Amino acid sequence: MLLILIGENSFTNLNAMDKVNFPALTGIRALAAYMVYIHHYNPFSIEIFGKYTHDFFNEFHIGVTIFFVLSGFLICNRYFDDPNFSFRSYIIKRVARIYPMYFILTTLTFVFFAIVYSQKEWIDLQNYFYNISFLKGFSDELKFTGIAQGWSLSVEEFFYFTAPLFFIFINKSRIYLFVIPIVFIGLGVLLVSYFSGIECNGFMKSINFMLDFTFFGRISEFFVGIGLALLIRKYSPNIKGMTYLGLVGIILSICALVSLKGEGGYGVDTLTGKVINTIVLPVIGIAPLFLGLIKEKTFISNFFSNKVLQLLGKSSYIFYLIHLGIFVTVLNKISENQWFVFVSLNVISIFLYLYIETPLHRLIRKNQD
């Protein structure tokens, strides 16, 4: 998830974007990853903190929404209308950013569980292929196999490959900011109607799956990010209080999701909840927060810009990839203390970022250049 999301900061000089960044938006990646972690390991038990508090933090899956909006913003800010754009260079850079670590960790995951839990059998090669090719993200049955949270990378990769085409249309008319998401949601519905009667590993199995786990249903989050990048390019708004307005919008959106939860599941299990998560939250919460972090000097922007948060933000992709799976399984053998596991995962993430991810990324970029 992850991943992927490293900010470059220039609204006027597109050719200089590799040399600058948005420090606060790099730091916010750590927050998004930690929110997903809390969602999966909610420490706020009903017995101690009450049902509402427990349900509130259960909805911290919105960390994924933050990642998607951030991805749309950063990719648009960097590549929209770039006179030196090369699709080949663009794809290599995107793949170099997320694929090496995903491939390594996915392979380790399959080998580990094959050895530990299936001594008489080896890796399910077909499932492994679906994972390393990101095709699992289109299957309701396979979406949580391998690195379970890796389904979101299928969404990210789909966006990366289609973004340059989107930018061509949006450059012609801003109406496509609204038309394209509607078209893709409609296309998702058509794919579900076609594949729902076919036994195909759960490929595009249901409307709920399509809306929750595929780019067809999550496209609006990326487009809110794109819209924000284009807004700043043209108008460079400097409205005071956007940081706090965004935080309030995020909190209110989470509260709305909690109110929709009912007796089981999450607020996003309802259609209204899906609209809140993919449209309302990005528009009234995440986008204003990003705008404030970019344009305002507050203690919040200073916090997310400090050196510790920068390192945690840059390693957050790996943290996101390993916060479920083999590393947690091994760490729990040592201690099930949640703080121990959380801190250990961060240490491992930083180590892998510094000594594996960064060198691999530089090597791929160097060979490409």
Side-chain angles (χ1 to χ4, degrees):
M1 274 257 143
L2 14 132
L3 39 131
I4 11 179
L5 305 168
I6 291 185
E8 284 94 4
N9 176 11
S10 173
F11 299 115
T12 56
N13 187 351
L14 290 171
N15 295 324
M17 286 187 179
D18 277 334
K19 302 178 181 179
V20 289
N21 59 23
F22 300 112
L25 295 189
T26 298
I28 207 73
R29 292 168 53 197
L31 173 65
Y34 296 158
M35 291 180 77
V36 178
Y37 178 85
I38 292 173
H39 162 68
H40 287 134
Y41 304 102
N42 192 338
F44 299 93
S45 66
I46 295 176
E47 294 76 15
I48 298 175
F49 295 94
K51 187 174 185 301
Y52 191 89
T53 300
H54 174 82
D55 291 347
F56 183 89
F57 287 98
N58 251 11
E59 300 291 348
F60 270 27
H61 54 77
I62 68 162
V64 175
T65 306
I66 293 174
F67 275 129
F68 288 165
V69 177
L70 184 57
S71 185
F73 172 81
L74 295 174
I75 294 299
C76 178
N77 183 66
R78 178 170 181 178
Y79 293 106
F80 187 85
D81 230 3
D82 182 354
N84 300 314
F85 179 80
S86 163
F87 186 76
R88 177 180 178 275
S89 176
Y90 163 80
I91 290 299
I92 291 175
K93 289 177 181 178
R94 292 304 98 206
V95 171
R97 179 63 64 193
I98 74 169
Y99 193 72
M101 287 308 304
Y102 176 76
F103 177 83
I104 292 170
L105 292 172
T106 297
T107 302
L108 284 176
T109 297
F110 272 83
V111 171
F112 176 85
F113 285 110
I115 293 173
V116 173
Y117 294 110
S118 189
Q119 297 290 344
K120 296 181 181 180
E121 300 177 9
W122 193 233
I123 298 174
D124 180 344
L125 292 179
Q126 183 181 48
N127 195 358
Y128 175 68
F129 170 75
Y130 282 131
N131 273 263
I132 62 173
S133 65
F134 296 118
L135 290 175
K136 75 161 190 172
F138 297 96
S139 167
D140 194 18
E141 295 176 6
L142 301 175
K143 63 180 182 291
F144 293 145
T145 59
I147 297 176
Q149 61 276 29
W151 67 265
S152 63
L153 298 189
S154 298
V155 180
E156 286 279 351
E157 280 296 295
F158 199 111
F159 171 67
Y160 289 159
F161 276 93
T162 53
L165 179 61
F166 296 155
F167 295 158
I168 292 173
F169 283 95
I170 296 170
N171 196 32
K172 294 180 180 296
S173 174
R174 296 298 188 263
I175 191 65
Y176 286 106
L177 282 169
F178 305 96
V179 172
I180 293 174
I182 293 173
V183 168
F184 266 76
I185 292 172
L187 180 59
V189 172
L190 289 176
L191 288 173
V192 170
S193 65
Y194 177 79
F195 284 100
S196 59
I198 302 175
E199 183 54 43
C200 188
N201 289 319
F203 184 84
M204 299 299 287
K205 184 176 182 179
S206 68
I207 293 294
N208 280 333
F209 167 75
M210 182 272 290
L211 292 175
D212 288 338
F213 295 101
T214 74
F215 180 73
F216 301 101
R218 307 299 293 261
I219 185 173
S220 58
E221 294 151 72
F222 294 93
F223 269 65
V224 170
I226 292 172
L228 176 63
L230 296 178
L231 175 68
I232 294 177
R233 279 169 171 263
K234 186 171 183 179
Y235 297 107
S236 189
N238 191 18
I239 305 172
K240 293 184 178 180
M242 295 302 291
T243 303
Y244 304 104
L245 179 64
L247 289 174
V248 170
I250 291 172
I251 293 171
L252 290 177
S253 296
I254 296 174
C255 291
L257 291 175
V258 173
S259 70
L260 293 168
K261 175 180 170 297
E263 293 301 319
Y266 306 97
V268 290
D269 292 336
T270 67
L271 181 58
T272 303
K274 297 182 197 307
V275 172
I276 292 172
N277 186 54
T278 60
I279 299 176
V280 177
L281 168 63
V283 171
I284 74 167
I286 299 171
L289 174 62
F290 286 178
L291 180 59
L293 291 175
I294 294 168
K295 306 294 290 185
E296 299 174 340
K297 281 293 183 181
T298 65
F299 79 92
I300 296 176
S301 64
N302 290 335
F303 173 75
F304 284 112
S305 300
N306 72 59
K307 292 182 179 180
V308 174
L309 264 295
Q310 293 301 287
L311 181 58
L312 293 175
K314 291 173 182 177
S315 62
S316 63
Y317 169 48
I318 297 177
F319 179 90
Y320 179 79
L321 287 179
I322 69 174
H323 83 275
L324 293 173
I326 59 175
F327 287 91
V328 174
T329 301
V330 173
L331 288 170
N332 281 333
K333 297 292 184 181
I334 302 172
S335 173
E336 293 186 357
N337 181 280
Q338 198 167 61
W339 280 109
F340 167 78
V341 174
F342 176 75
V343 172
S344 298
L345 287 173
N346 274 285
V347 172
I348 294 169
S349 299
I350 292 171
F351 177 85
L352 293 176
Y353 165 73
L354 292 175
Y355 298 108
I356 297 182
E357 181 187 19
T358 299
L360 282 174
H361 180 252
R362 288 174 179 169
L363 178 64
I364 295 172
R365 290 284 295 268
K366 180 180 179 180
N367 292 336
Q368 180 261 330
D369 294 335

